[in-house]
Amino acid sequence: MITSSGPGDLFVVRNVGNLVPLPGEESGDDSVAAAIEYAVDVLKVRSITVCGHSGCGAMQALLNAEPSGARTPLERWLRHALPSLERLTGDDGSWVRLAGRRPADAVEQLCLANVVQQLEHLRAHEAVARALRDGELELHGMYFHVGEAQAYLLREEEGDGVFALVRETGEPDAAHGRDVSGTGPAADTGPDADTGPDAVTGPGYTDPDAQPVPAAAGPAPTPRPRRLPPPRPR
């Protein structure tokens, strides 16, 4: 729905916190690493997008976690997001922001920093590093705000680190001087991906070829009650 993609267009890996564990026997996770290797080496995907979202429960749990060590499966899994928390508290996380407004709270700030951090983890995987080096793969960061029903794409030119709002028109936002095309790389995931105007959907989108619908001249007429015939005598 977010990328206007159809069945089979996307190879999706979902987990708590949209985390990409670093490769390695001790710190890694074979399930995520296997999915990355399969997507890059077998499916030959052209782009990978790390997508976070507003109100992420994993980021809330990370902020509220006790510093007593990982005990439960959730706490052990969230250790892969600890670098994101460190980025938030350091200088590296202060520049990660949404275009046009500041993050609403610490949870949203951490959600944004986590997308940037997990992209760095993704680059550490051998298959990804090789495909990037050969120019066969692109990486993208996305943040979806559930309440706004809006998607933001990460702009990393010259270390900008701004998540730019995606609009349906495909025209640059003059206020911020950025390309905010709704048919950007997040929707382009394979040779058959539709990146034309038909892929642009969402609130506020107007089909330029659509014909205007004439407005009603007045209130709709009230239908008359149907009269039943009198019963026949037996």
Side-chain angles (χ1 to χ4, degrees):
M1 180 183 69
I2 301 175
T3 58
S4 301
S5 55
D9 288 345
L10 300 178
F11 180 72
V12 181
V13 179
R14 300 185 63 178
N15 60 51
V16 176
N18 50 277
L19 304 182
V20 182
L22 286 167
E25 294 183 1
E26 295 183 359
S27 61
D29 179 87
D30 285 344
S31 177
V32 177
I36 294 172
E37 180 182 351
Y38 180 76
V40 175
D41 290 343
V42 180
L43 297 180
K44 303 295 183 182
V45 297
R46 298 199 309 248
S47 66
I48 299 178
T49 300
V50 176
C51 182
H53 64 90
S54 61
C56 178
M59 298 300 102
Q60 295 180 27
L62 190 62
L63 284 172
N64 299 327
E66 296 290 339
S68 56
R71 296 181 298 249
T72 69
L74 178 60
E75 291 172 339
R76 289 194 297 270
W77 171 252
L78 289 180
R79 75 185 189 278
H80 300 299
L82 289 177
S84 302
L85 188 59
E86 295 173 359
R87 175 185 289 270
L88 179 65
T89 56
D91 294 336
D92 292 340
S94 59
W95 51 268
V96 181
R97 65 191 188 280
L98 296 172
R101 69 172 178 86
R102 295 182 178 180
D105 49 30
V107 174
E108 185 168 62
Q109 182 71 59
L110 183 55
C111 289
L112 300 175
N114 185 57
V115 171
V116 177
Q117 184 65 42
Q118 301 310 314
L119 284 171
E120 290 191 6
H121 291 184
L122 193 57
R123 294 184 184 97
H125 286 260
E126 181 180 353
V128 174
R130 182 178 61 252
L132 288 173
R133 187 169 55 250
D134 296 339
E136 299 174 349
L137 182 66
E138 294 181 349
L139 302 184
H140 307 283
M142 177 184 287
Y143 174 73
F144 183 73
H145 194 287
V146 179
E148 297 176 359
Q150 294 286 357
Y152 296 79
L153 288 179
L154 176 63
R155 186 180 67 184
E156 294 184 288
E157 292 85 354
E158 300 179 358
D160 196 353
V162 174
F163 285 79
L165 177 65
V166 176
R167 299 188 187 278
E168 293 81 10
T169 60
E171 297 295 332
D173 189 322
H176 300 92
R178 62 183 185 272
D179 183 4
V180 287
S181 171
T183 57
D188 184 11
T189 57
D192 297 327
D194 186 0
T195 56
D198 292 337
V200 185
T201 59
Y205 174 68
T206 302
D207 186 352
D209 299 324
Q211 299 298 321
V213 179
T222 303
R224 295 181 178 180
R226 184 179 177 183
R227 294 184 179 181
L228 300 178
R232 295 182 180 180
R234 294 183 179 180

